[in-house]
Amino acid sequence: MFLAADSGSVLSLDLSPVDLALMLIYFSFVLGIGFALKRAVKSSLDFFLSGRSLPAWVTGIGFISANIGAVELLGQSASGAQYGAAMVHYFWIGAIPAMVFLGIVMMPFYYGSKVRSVPEYLRLRFDPKAHLINAITFVVGSMLIAGVNLYALSIVLEALLGIPLIVAIVLSATFVLSYILLGGLTSAIYNEVMQFFVVLIGMVPLTIIAIKETGGLGGLFDRLGGENGRAFVEPWTGTGVGGSSPIGDWIGIILGLAFCLSFGYWTTNFAEVQRAMAAKDSNSARLTPIIGAYPKTFVPLITILPGMAALVLLPGIGTPGSGLEYNDAIPALMDKYLPPGVLGVAVTGLLAAFMAGMAANVSSFNAVFTYDLWQDYIRPGRPDHYYLVVGRWVTVGGVGVAVLTALIASGFSNISNYLQTLFSFFNVPLFCAFIIGMFWRRATKSAGFWGILAGTVTAVTVYALYKLDVLHFRSDLHETMWGSIAAFAAGAIAMVLASLREPRKTDAELHGLVYGMEIRDASDTAARPWYRSPVILGIGVLVLNAGLYVGIYAI
């Protein structure tokens, strides 16, 4: 329910005993999975990469579940309320093509070279400088993003228990820490599989009810289009240069979002790639992101649509004095419309999603810190058990840092804007180094370092100039698109200039690391049915995507 306060309304979720019982049962299962898998963790490879033993359907669902965290449920629903239907671009061209590209083209490099992390690939392709700068930026970025999921988790706990935000943050962090420490990545992935289905069970009924309460899809779109303009309900309307689309122009959407931001996130973010690396063979690793792409295609239906409905059903949301920020759209709709029992499942789904997102970032953080910083630069040459122990302590430290970064995230009314800014800082310059390094053999050892450095500095500079009103964009999201284009261009120029100063690596040094020289195992060449083919399944999900774009204009 919404409790009145002097400053306006504040979000407070009123759960029945049935709801609370369902939540307790779920959390018991989460911890039970951790305890059950504890015995399977005997080496650092088991803890960080699940011993490379999981089937494609498990890693595929884990891949997408790790992404359906605060970014999706709170962030994209908030953006649906703030920006409208144009946010589908962040899925249908801002995610799916990159996920297909990762599965078909890039996973053979990651899996075939047997690297244990994304930064380790850079060390092999370029040099230790590129490896070190990527490891450092990834550690910083993953902790900032983990803080976003922790903050989102604490919002719900604060509303449930009526406790201060900082207490809710610490309580949430302790729970996620417990099951990662017990079972490592395997525990995280199997919990992500369970969390994926819990999220669906909670969000699908909410979406149906919200759309029905607004008079159906046609009624919702007609009303919002009349109040906010057609660009609010039609993704491509107003995307011309100088147009009225709230998220930006078609140049920024295609080059900035669909290429730089999307490929930068999905192909180089170790929190996602780590799930594919845990697969049992190369073909399963390639299938992982493509299997995840199918449910990802439909995620806008349970995030953006409820967010748009919230504008009608929660009058004043996002306006000063209302007591409801855009981030509150989903929890507030749940509390207003879901009956006891269903509300418990839905809130459990929210908590599950946020835990999955945080666990993904913490589990990838501990792998990169332990392998790419501690083992390579601080304490090399120690026994494997030593690094397993270090990894567990790093997990504790990482969760502690996430508590601090959650307080940073609490300062943003729309966490999706904050996350896209982080992606433009950390992922786009890295993608520039990867894509050029993989497809241009002439790129030299130092090119990777200079590309990442130049791209990161450029992205931060564009953002700073925007905040200082020197540069002007339609919205924060529009800035991240053009900031990403600038970062990629600067990184590419820096890589070319650096490569002109020194000789390239030999073909023997590049074996397994560049296009045309990748290493494939028997699972890639063996005869298999069509439903095990990454190419066929990848084409299928791209066709499905195009159909959904057409369908939205038929509403």
Side-chain angles (χ1 to χ4, degrees), residues 212-261:
K212 182 181 178 181
E213 289 290 325
T214 58
L217 279 177
L220 174 64
F221 274 50
D222 287 343
R223 178 169 176 175
L224 292 179
E227 294 176 353
N228 301 281
R230 297 309 299 173
F232 195 82
V233 295
E234 296 175 353
W236 290 105
T237 299
T239 57
V241 177
S244 59
S245 175
I247 69 168
D249 54 73
W250 67 269
I251 301 174
I253 291 172
I254 293 175
L255 293 181
L257 171 60
F259 181 65
C260 295
L261 280 168

Coordinates of all heavy atoms in Angstrom, one line a residue, residues 212-261:
K212 N -4.6 -4.7 -19.0 CA -6.0 -4.8 -18.9 C -6.6 -3.5 -18.2 O -7.6 -2.9 -18.7 CB -6.5 -6.0 -18.2 CG -8.0 -6.2 -18.1 CD -8.3 -7.4 -17.3 CE -9.9 -7.6 -17.2 NZ -10.3 -8.8 -16.5
E213 N -5.9 -3.1 -17.2 CA -6.4 -1.9 -16.4 C -6.3 -0.6 -17.2 O -7.0 0.3 -16.9 CB -5.6 -1.8 -15.1 CG -5.9 -2.8 -14.1 CD -7.3 -2.7 -13.5 OE1 -7.7 -1.5 -13.3 OE2 -7.9 -3.7 -13.2
T214 N -5.5 -0.6 -18.2 CA -5.3 0.6 -19.0 C -6.2 0.6 -20.3 O -6.1 1.5 -21.1 CB -3.9 0.8 -19.5 OG1 -3.4 -0.3 -20.2 CG2 -3.0 1.1 -18.2
G215 N -7.0 -0.5 -20.4 CA -7.9 -0.6 -21.6 C -7.3 -1.4 -22.8 O -7.8 -1.2 -23.9
G216 N -6.3 -2.2 -22.5 CA -5.7 -3.0 -23.5 C -4.5 -2.2 -24.2 O -4.4 -1.0 -24.0
L217 N -3.8 -2.9 -25.0 CA -2.6 -2.3 -25.7 C -3.0 -1.1 -26.5 O -2.4 -0.1 -26.5 CB -1.9 -3.3 -26.5 CG -0.9 -4.3 -25.8 CD1 -0.3 -5.3 -26.8 CD2 0.2 -3.5 -25.1
G218 N -4.1 -1.3 -27.3 CA -4.6 -0.2 -28.2 C -4.9 1.0 -27.4 O -4.6 2.2 -27.7
G219 N -5.7 0.8 -26.3 CA -6.1 1.9 -25.5 C -4.9 2.6 -24.8 O -4.9 3.9 -24.7
L220 N -4.0 1.8 -24.3 CA -2.8 2.4 -23.7 C -2.0 3.2 -24.7 O -1.6 4.4 -24.4 CB -1.9 1.3 -23.1 CG -0.5 1.7 -22.5 CD1 -0.7 2.6 -21.3 CD2 0.3 0.5 -22.1
F221 N -1.7 2.7 -25.9 CA -0.9 3.4 -26.8 C -1.6 4.6 -27.4 O -1.0 5.7 -27.6 CB -0.5 2.5 -28.0 CG 0.7 1.6 -27.7 CD1 0.8 0.9 -26.5 CD2 1.7 1.6 -28.6 CE1 2.0 0.2 -26.3 CE2 2.9 0.9 -28.4 CZ 3.0 0.1 -27.2
D222 N -2.9 4.6 -27.5 CA -3.7 5.7 -28.0 C -3.6 6.9 -27.0 O -3.4 8.0 -27.3 CB -5.1 5.4 -28.3 CG -5.3 4.5 -29.5 OD1 -4.4 4.5 -30.3 OD2 -6.4 3.9 -29.7
R223 N -3.8 6.5 -25.7 CA -3.8 7.5 -24.7 C -2.4 8.2 -24.5 O -2.3 9.4 -24.5 CB -4.2 6.9 -23.3 CG -4.2 7.9 -22.2 CD -4.9 7.4 -20.9 NE -4.7 8.3 -19.8 CZ -5.3 8.1 -18.7 NH1 -6.1 7.1 -18.4 NH2 -5.1 9.0 -17.7
L224 N -1.4 7.3 -24.4 CA 0.0 7.9 -24.3 C 0.4 8.6 -25.5 O 1.2 9.6 -25.4 CB 1.0 6.7 -23.9 CG 0.8 6.0 -22.6 CD1 1.8 4.9 -22.4 CD2 0.9 7.1 -21.5
G225 N 0.0 8.1 -26.7 CA 0.4 8.9 -27.9 C -0.3 10.2 -28.0 O 0.3 11.2 -28.4
G226 N -1.5 10.3 -27.5 CA -2.2 11.6 -27.5 C -1.6 12.6 -26.5 O -1.5 13.8 -26.7
E227 N -1.2 12.0 -25.3 CA -0.6 12.9 -24.3 C 0.8 13.3 -24.5 O 1.3 14.4 -24.1 CB -0.8 12.2 -22.9 CG -2.2 12.0 -22.5 CD -2.3 11.2 -21.2 OE1 -1.3 10.8 -20.7 OE2 -3.5 11.1 -20.6
N228 N 1.6 12.3 -25.1 CA 3.1 12.5 -25.2 C 3.6 12.6 -26.6 O 4.8 12.8 -26.8 CB 3.8 11.4 -24.4 CG 3.4 11.3 -23.0 OD1 3.9 12.1 -22.1 ND2 2.5 10.4 -22.6
G229 N 2.7 12.5 -27.6 CA 3.2 12.5 -29.0 C 3.4 11.1 -29.5 O 3.7 10.1 -28.7
R230 N 3.3 10.9 -30.8 CA 3.5 9.6 -31.4 C 4.9 9.0 -31.2 O 5.0 7.8 -31.2 CB 3.2 9.6 -32.9 CG 1.7 10.0 -33.3 CD 0.7 9.2 -32.5 NE 0.8 7.8 -32.8 CZ 0.1 6.8 -32.1 NH1 -0.8 7.2 -31.2 NH2 0.2 5.6 -32.5
A231 N 5.9 9.8 -31.0 CA 7.2 9.3 -30.8 C 7.3 8.5 -29.5 O 8.2 7.7 -29.4 CB 8.2 10.5 -30.8
F232 N 6.4 8.7 -28.6 CA 6.4 8.0 -27.3 C 6.0 6.6 -27.5 O 6.3 5.7 -26.7 CB 5.5 8.8 -26.3 CG 5.8 8.3 -24.9 CD1 6.8 8.9 -24.2 CD2 5.0 7.4 -24.3 CE1 7.1 8.5 -22.8 CE2 5.2 7.0 -22.9 CZ 6.3 7.6 -22.2
V233 N 5.2 6.3 -28.5 CA 4.6 4.9 -28.7 C 5.1 4.3 -30.0 O 4.7 3.1 -30.2 CB 3.1 5.0 -28.6 CG1 2.6 5.4 -27.2 CG2 2.5 5.9 -29.7
E234 N 5.8 4.9 -30.8 CA 6.4 4.4 -32.0 C 7.9 4.5 -32.0 O 8.4 5.6 -32.1 CB 5.8 5.1 -33.2 CG 4.2 4.9 -33.3 CD 3.6 5.7 -34.5 OE1 4.4 6.5 -35.1 OE2 2.4 5.5 -34.7
P235 N 8.6 3.3 -32.0 CA 10.1 3.4 -31.7 C 10.9 4.2 -32.7 O 11.8 4.9 -32.3 CB 10.4 1.9 -31.8 CG 9.2 1.1 -31.6 CD 8.1 2.0 -32.1
W236 N 10.5 4.2 -34.0 CA 11.3 4.9 -35.0 C 10.8 6.3 -35.3 O 11.5 7.1 -36.0 CB 11.4 4.1 -36.3 CG 12.3 2.9 -36.1 CD1 11.8 1.6 -36.0 CD2 13.7 2.8 -36.0 NE1 12.9 0.7 -35.9 CE2 14.0 1.4 -35.8 CE3 14.7 3.7 -36.0 CZ2 15.4 1.0 -35.7 CZ3 16.0 3.3 -35.9 CH2 16.3 2.0 -35.7
T237 N 9.6 6.7 -34.8 CA 9.1 8.0 -35.1 C 9.9 9.0 -34.4 O 10.2 8.9 -33.2 CB 7.6 8.1 -34.7 OG1 6.9 7.1 -35.4 CG2 7.0 9.4 -34.9
G238 N 10.2 10.1 -35.1 CA 11.0 11.2 -34.4 C 12.5 11.0 -34.3 O 13.1 11.7 -33.6
T239 N 13.0 9.9 -34.9 CA 14.4 9.6 -34.8 C 15.3 10.3 -35.9 O 16.5 10.0 -35.9 CB 14.7 8.1 -34.8 OG1 14.2 7.5 -36.0 CG2 14.0 7.4 -33.6
G240 N 14.7 11.1 -36.7 CA 15.5 11.9 -37.7 C 16.3 12.9 -36.9 O 16.1 13.2 -35.8
V241 N 17.4 13.4 -37.6 CA 18.2 14.4 -37.0 C 17.4 15.7 -36.7 O 16.7 16.2 -37.6 CB 19.4 14.8 -37.9 CG1 20.2 15.9 -37.3 CG2 20.2 13.5 -38.1
G242 N 17.3 16.1 -35.5 CA 16.4 17.2 -35.1 C 15.0 16.8 -34.8 O 14.2 17.6 -34.6
G243 N 14.8 15.5 -34.7 CA 13.4 15.0 -34.4 C 13.1 15.0 -33.0 O 13.8 15.6 -32.1
S244 N 11.9 14.4 -32.6 CA 11.4 14.5 -31.3 C 11.5 13.2 -30.4 O 11.0 13.2 -29.3 CB 9.9 14.9 -31.4 OG 9.2 13.9 -32.1
S245 N 12.1 12.2 -31.0 CA 12.2 10.9 -30.2 C 13.0 11.2 -28.9 O 14.1 11.8 -29.0 CB 12.9 9.8 -31.0 OG 13.1 8.7 -30.2
P246 N 12.5 10.8 -27.7 CA 13.2 11.2 -26.5 C 14.6 10.5 -26.3 O 15.4 11.1 -25.6 CB 12.3 10.7 -25.4 CG 11.5 9.6 -26.1 CD 11.3 10.1 -27.5
I247 N 14.9 9.4 -27.0 CA 16.2 8.8 -26.8 C 17.2 9.2 -27.8 O 18.4 9.0 -27.5 CB 16.1 7.2 -26.7 CG1 15.7 6.7 -28.1 CG2 15.1 6.8 -25.7 CD1 15.9 5.2 -28.2
G248 N 16.8 9.8 -28.9 CA 17.9 10.3 -29.8 C 17.5 10.1 -31.3 O 16.4 9.8 -31.7
D249 N 18.5 10.3 -32.1 CA 18.4 10.2 -33.6 C 18.8 8.8 -34.1 O 19.5 8.0 -33.4 CB 19.2 11.3 -34.3 CG 20.6 11.3 -33.8 OD1 21.4 10.4 -34.3 OD2 21.0 12.2 -33.0
W250 N 18.5 8.5 -35.4 CA 18.8 7.2 -35.9 C 20.3 6.9 -36.0 O 20.7 5.8 -35.9 CB 18.1 7.1 -37.3 CG 18.7 8.0 -38.4 CD1 18.3 9.2 -38.7 CD2 19.8 7.7 -39.2 NE1 19.0 9.7 -39.7 CE2 20.0 8.8 -40.1 CE3 20.6 6.6 -39.4 CZ2 21.0 8.8 -41.1 CZ3 21.6 6.6 -40.4 CH2 21.8 7.7 -41.2
I251 N 21.1 8.0 -36.2 CA 22.5 7.8 -36.2 C 23.0 7.2 -34.9 O 23.8 6.3 -34.8 CB 23.3 9.1 -36.6 CG1 22.8 9.6 -38.0 CG2 24.8 8.8 -36.7 CD1 23.3 10.9 -38.4
G252 N 22.6 7.9 -33.8 CA 23.0 7.5 -32.5 C 22.5 6.1 -32.2 O 23.2 5.3 -31.6
I253 N 21.2 5.8 -32.6 CA 20.6 4.5 -32.3 C 21.4 3.4 -33.0 O 21.7 2.3 -32.4 CB 19.2 4.5 -32.7 CG1 18.4 5.4 -31.8 CG2 18.6 3.1 -32.6 CD1 16.9 5.6 -32.2
I254 N 21.7 3.6 -34.3 CA 22.4 2.5 -35.1 C 23.8 2.4 -34.8 O 24.3 1.3 -34.5 CB 22.1 2.7 -36.6 CG1 20.6 2.6 -36.9 CG2 23.0 1.8 -37.4 CD1 20.3 2.9 -38.3
L255 N 24.6 3.5 -34.8 CA 26.0 3.4 -34.6 C 26.4 3.4 -33.1 O 27.2 2.6 -32.7 CB 26.7 4.6 -35.2 CG 26.7 4.6 -36.8 CD1 27.4 5.9 -37.3 CD2 27.3 3.4 -37.4
G256 N 25.7 4.2 -32.3 CA 26.0 4.3 -30.9 C 25.4 3.2 -30.1 O 26.2 2.5 -29.3
L257 N 24.1 2.9 -30.2 CA 23.5 1.8 -29.4 C 23.7 0.4 -30.0 O 24.2 -0.5 -29.4 CB 22.0 2.1 -29.3 CG 21.1 1.0 -28.7 CD1 21.6 0.7 -27.3 CD2 19.7 1.4 -28.7
A258 N 23.2 0.3 -31.3 CA 23.2 -1.1 -31.9 C 24.6 -1.6 -32.1 O 24.8 -2.8 -32.0 CB 22.4 -1.1 -33.2
F259 N 25.6 -0.7 -32.4 CA 27.0 -1.2 -32.6 C 27.8 -1.0 -31.4 O 28.2 -2.0 -30.7 CB 27.6 -0.5 -33.8 CG 29.0 -1.0 -34.1 CD1 29.2 -2.3 -34.5 CD2 30.0 -0.1 -34.0 CE1 30.5 -2.7 -34.8 CE2 31.3 -0.5 -34.3 CZ 31.6 -1.9 -34.7
C260 N 28.1 0.2 -31.0 CA 29.1 0.4 -29.9 C 28.7 -0.1 -28.6 O 29.4 -0.9 -27.9 CB 29.5 1.9 -29.9 SG 30.3 2.6 -31.4
L261 N 27.6 0.4 -28.1 CA 27.1 0.0 -26.7 C 26.7 -1.4 -26.7 O 27.1 -2.2 -25.7 CB 25.9 0.9 -26.3 CG 26.3 2.3 -25.8 CD1 25.0 3.2 -25.7 CD2 26.9 2.3 -24.4

